[in-house]
Amino acid sequence: MIEQLLDERDITFQLYEVLDSEKLLKRPRYSEHNLEAFKATLDTAQKIAKKYFANHNHKGDAEEPEFDGEKVKLIPETLEAWNAFAESGFLAAHHEFELGGMQLPEVILRASMAYFNAANIATTGYPFLSIGAANLIKSFASESLRARFLPPMLEGRFSGTMALTEPNQGSALADIKTKATPQADGTYLIRGQKMYISGGDHELTENIVHMVLAKIEGAPAGVKGISLFIVPKFQVDDDGQKGVRNDVALAGLLHKMGYRNTTSTVLNFGEKKGALGYLVGEPHKGLQYMFQMMNEARIGVALGAAALGYQGYITSLAYARQRPQGRLPSNKNPESKQVNIIDHADVRRMLLAQKSYAEGAFSLCLFASSLFEDQHTAETEEQRNRAAGLLDLLTPVVKSWPSKYCLQANDLAIQVLGGAGYTREYPVEQYYRDNRLNPIHEGTEAIHGLDLLGRKIWLNQMAAYKDFKSEVRASIADAYNGIDTVEMAKCLDRGLQLLDEVTDSLGKQIGGQVDRGLANATVYLDLFGRVVGAWIWLRQAIKATEGLRKPGLTDKDAAFYRGKLQAARYYLTWELPMINPQADLLKQGNSVCFETEDQWF
Amino acid sequence: MIEQLLDERDITFQLYEVLDSEKLLKRPRYSEHNLEAFKATLDTAQKIAKKYFANHNHKGDAEEPEFDGEKVKLIPETLEAWNAFAESGFLAAHHEFELGGMQLPEVILRASMAYFNAANIATTGYPFLSIGAANLIKSFASESLRARFLPPMLEGRFSGTMALTEPNQGSALADIKTKATPQADGTYLIRGQKMYISGGDHELTENIVHMVLAKIEGAPAGVKGISLFIVPKFQVDDDGQKGVRNDVALAGLLHKMGYRNTTSTVLNFGEKKGALGYLVGEPHKGLQYMFQMMNEARIGVALGAAALGYQGYITSLAYARQRPQGRLPSNKNPESKQVNIIDHADVRRMLLAQKSYAEGAFSLCLFASSLFEDQHTAETEEQRNRAAGLLDLLTPVVKSWPSKYCLQANDLAIQVLGGAGYTREYPVEQYYRDNRLNPIHEGTEAIHGLDLLGRKIWLNQMAAYKDFKSEVRASIADAYNGIDTVEMAKCLDRGLQLLDEVTDSLGKQIGGQVDRGLANATVYLDLFGRVVGAWIWLRQAIKATEGLRKPGLTDKDAAFYRGKLQAARYYLTWELPMINPQADLLKQGNSVCFETEDQWF
């Protein structure tokens, strides 16, 4: 049913023209790899995604998980997909050879994951969360916990979840109530309720490893009292065998608008005598550890949003190319042939906007993955620190910009299909419903706006922010040297200047009165996101002009590069200028929303 | 389950403070009415909407209509709702007393309909379409056809549909293929397929009257060859009794993302020997007649969008007032009490934006209804013509602005609820899915943009456009005289000026090359819509300042008026300025989208 997942040509462009991922082969960790191995990995991902994930994307939506009071029932294709994913090695792909992994670079792993997201974002939720949980155990758990849990997780016998949210605190983790009581043997008894836990129960794996945030009795108030625990669904004996049922019970499933084949659960920990939990790392450092998983998950969420945006774009493009309807305004002859709707200027606008959001978001996610890579494997400590700082700064934008605009892309895909797009007979309405989750989980825009403007900009005397600006300036300088990119360079030059003025002004406002100064942080996040989006497109435009100068250029490649230039032109001239009124509001410190009183609503 | 539908205080404000609907009582048609009668009508609408429509809004979504090959099965509450609506007289409410109607003014009818839309937009689809079909028959059909079909439709024994779209032409009505073959007795045999026909089959009524566009054999090509026919599901004998089954067959149901309890059908006309059809009015004037129904339906669609936006706003406001989570940025004490989320500035922004869209859209729809009223019952011909011209000009905006922005309001309502908003355990995700239809049916933005910029602006030496500007200028002048509205007046003054510059520039561009000049018509529609939205809010702000000066003002009314002022301030300072970058694009004649070639995608 799904004929195309993403665009191979674009993936090659992103990996080897925009990002120069070939240079990774020079790093010791990847010395045994070559480009053919990367390509083979991507081909495998694409093949499995098509065969085992795309096949039930619609069915998993129509026949959502059910809980019969005993067990959660998923459509059987879900288990086949899990097994195919595990057997092809993707659960362990980025881990070391000794762990049974492929030592795959982050960007190759992420590009592979994009295929699975594009095919079926809901079913991909299970491996996605398991990979994150395993990373957390690997990074912070003791050797004995690692030995007990990591191998079955990387083999796919156990899956994983992240259990943060509770019914009464939502995003405010400082206020979680789940308690951990220390036992004589060094383990803990966990008691509390967690909500919106994705993949929190199912029968796909013999065990489920919940990574649970809880407070040890007597811990400090707030985020400084949060610890991280491994709480498995079934206890695990010392020899690694599945033991007795742990005191973790499924209270119920939540029924979502989309993303349906990922169970969303309410879990009761320790209703009876307490759920057995193992402390990960040191007490009270749980949130700090969890942020590793969250930050990875944030790029992952963004990548999922990008993949859905991409599929909507591809689907609506194919539709627009074969659907005849109407004539151009200049043609008044009703007996002339109808044009295909791609010939209508407004349909091209909707396609170009989708292209700019989806391909831009995909490019941004791979860029973030390359920063993650550099943070760990770049040659010098300075390079590693710089990458870490940039990634930390940009994570709020990397999470939010794709989530917001790829949902808008899906909205436009529906609009291109018109009435057909509104029916479940076509796939775009499901992309839209699935994608609506992405601006919510792993932090709403409000949360990321506050994180960016309230904290990240100002860290280390704004070092990361300054690094970001110098990266953007370097691209602008390159673009001024190109023929096709001079006008675009001017646009971003002005945009960056404006961002800087706004940041400066807001710094002063926050210094004055912090609540008022941060009141419009979500607008700042969007403005920042547009500048980043424009930069991401300028980078692509620069590489496209280089591509167009290559000797022996094929017609197909020429069209590809011209498309990139046109989408960049669209983003720089249509989307970026929306920051002007936003900058005015922010510089004024417009307080209309801040000052609105409860009883006025 | 639904505790509040819309806001009675706001309805009173719109009807009697913003619109001065009391003046209608002076018109001969309404001389037997009084304000108590209007209030009683609205109360009845509210009561029936709550009892018979709101009760199954969720159920009608979860258990959508099914076709067993013979009949369409709807949940039984749908029939109870239909009967309650018919029995309370709303199908005939605006018709003359002689027809069994209540001779109700348009604004009172529309405000009543808003309650039904707010309670259950899908079930309201059946009476909504029937009212439109009956209006069409009343206006254009012969006396004998009126006698045959109108009484049972106004009593609710027959329902009605509008059957325009066909599988292969979508919105391009010029290309419809349904054929009408004249018979010796003056009737016609209709053959063809229609698609996306809402309410096209069901068992709610003993008959369904399809208003079908078709081409009489030998008719001119294009829209000039379209005629309108009454094609009933069952033939109607001369004595008005239900006769044999007509040759109209349900080919199948379409399965929508939302709006599910309205059947969306594919209908086959004349598969066997031809469906009996009656010509309405003269041959080849069908589209012209149908435009009456479409233009009424356009206000109706917008009102539905507004009602859904309103319900999302009310729901998310109630949630924000009782959901504790987090603390203000200035409060670093984790042991302090959490605030309710309405205390977070960004939540107030999301509520204020929703208020500005939903109440603005509702106000705009009632304003359009008042123009419809004036078009028919204003005292002088000049007033009637002026109202007709204004309504004709503004219809593209009246249809599009509420549909676009009230969908955005629902998106914000989900965001306020966060994870809860994404689940079907709360109503907001359904509002969002239901509302997604509204930017599609009765003309997409692309179509209305072309209608506005390609045609309506320029009619009669721009007479209606000039009338519009002088209306806006009058409001601006009023606002300059108020204390709280001077800044807002300045904003709209500049906005109107910009609209004028853009219109002027585009006129020249269209004169140069029509396809290129109209390429960005959708952006123009949005810019125009924002100016109209700003004007609608300025009108409310002016009346709110008047309200605040009333002697004996209650605290509750004071808060209501201050809320109106604040929402107006929000719209004028946050939303209107987005027209600046749009105006730049339009004045430049930015052709990035227009020039994008097919192979570049």
Side-chain angles (χ1 to χ4, degrees), chain A residues 231-245:
Chain A
V231 186
K233 178 175 174 183
F234 290 94
Q235 294 187 15
V236 179
D237 296 342
D238 289 339
D239 61 357
Q241 294 306 301
K242 180 169 132 177
V244 298
R245 188 74 158 78

Side-chain angles (χ1 to χ4, degrees), chain A residues 64 330 348 424 515 594, chain B residues 64 256 330 348 424 594:
Chain A
E64 72 185 329
S330 57
R348 287 205 296 281
R424 308 201 302 280
D515 294 332
F594 182 72
Chain B
E64 72 186 329
K256 302 191 295 304
S330 58
R348 287 205 297 282
R424 309 202 300 281
F594 183 71

Side-chain angles (χ1 to χ4, degrees), chain A residues 200-222:
Chain A
D201 207 1
H202 53 73
E203 303 291 317
L204 296 174
T205 49
E206 63 175 76
N207 206 348
I208 303 175
V209 180
H210 303 293
M211 306 303 298
V212 179
L213 292 186
K215 290 186 172 180
I216 298 171
E217 282 175 6

Side-chain angles (χ1 to χ4, degrees), chain A residues 154-183:
Chain A
L154 299 189
E155 288 160 22
R157 290 193 291 118
F158 292 8
S159 54
T161 77
M162 52 201 291
L164 288 71
T165 305
E166 298 178 7
N168 290 318
Q169 49 73 15
S171 305
L173 293 174
D175 296 290
I176 60 166
K177 297 272 174 271
T178 299
K179 282 272 166 263
T181 313
Q183 304 298 296

Side-chain angles (χ1 to χ4, degrees), chain B residues 4-21:
Chain B
Q4 189 188 338
L5 296 179
L6 309 174
D7 177 352
E8 273 190 54
R9 179 65 188 89
D10 190 31
I11 293 177
T12 306
F13 176 71
Q14 301 297 344
L15 290 177
Y16 302 113
E17 299 177 64
V18 178
L19 283 180
D20 186 21
S21 302

